[in-house]
Amino acid sequence: MSTAHVTEIHTYPVKGEPGTDLSEVDVEEGGLAGDRRKKAPVHLISREQSEGVRANFVVDLSPEDLRALAGSVVSLGAARLGIVGPAGTCAGVYADVEAPGHVRVGDALE
């Protein structure tokens, strides 16, 4: 896997309402600061599949490489995320927060 980076950050404070585009965010134990709590604390998606998907982090990694991270712990900026697996019927993957931290657009996914 080549190094991937965060290309977009979004929160969705109110169900069904438009999201908020951010350049940086604090990832807390329960998810992103300002985001409503949902099925999983964090939703990541490949930039290739991001059109119309309400994910928190968009990364420049192929959908296949992103799915292959299931079961691993990754660093995203100063946060550590445990990749749980596919995001149900949505594209991308869900993740639990292993260690809170600050994430900015451009930060590496390692």
Side-chain angles (χ1 to χ4, degrees):
M1 176 182 88
S2 60
T3 301
H5 296 87
V6 176
T7 62
E8 299 174 34
I9 302 172
H10 308 283
T11 58
Y12 301 91
V14 180
K15 184 176 178 131
E17 294 292 320
T20 302
D21 300 337
L22 304 168
S23 60
E24 58 186 325
V25 70
D26 286 318
V27 177
E28 302 169 340
E29 287 184 15
L32 278 62
D35 199 21
R36 77 180 192 288
R37 300 308 183 230
K38 43 197 180 293
K39 292 179 184 176
V42 180
H43 183 184
L44 295 95
I45 189 152
S46 166
R47 184 170 55 187
E48 294 174 29
Q49 295 181 308
S50 65
E51 189 68 34
V53 178
R54 296 169 60 93
N56 299 119
F57 292 111
V58 178
V59 295
D60 57 356
L61 190 64
S62 74
E64 297 79 17
D65 286 343
L66 185 59
R67 280 192 305 273
L69 294 174
S72 65
V73 175
V74 299
S75 293
L76 192 62
R80 278 196 354 259
L81 305 176
I83 307 298
V84 177
T89 59
C90 297
V93 296
Y94 284 146
D96 289 330
V97 178
E98 298 282 329
H102 196 76
V103 180
R104 294 178 177 84
V105 168
D107 282 350
L109 171 74
E110 303 177 294

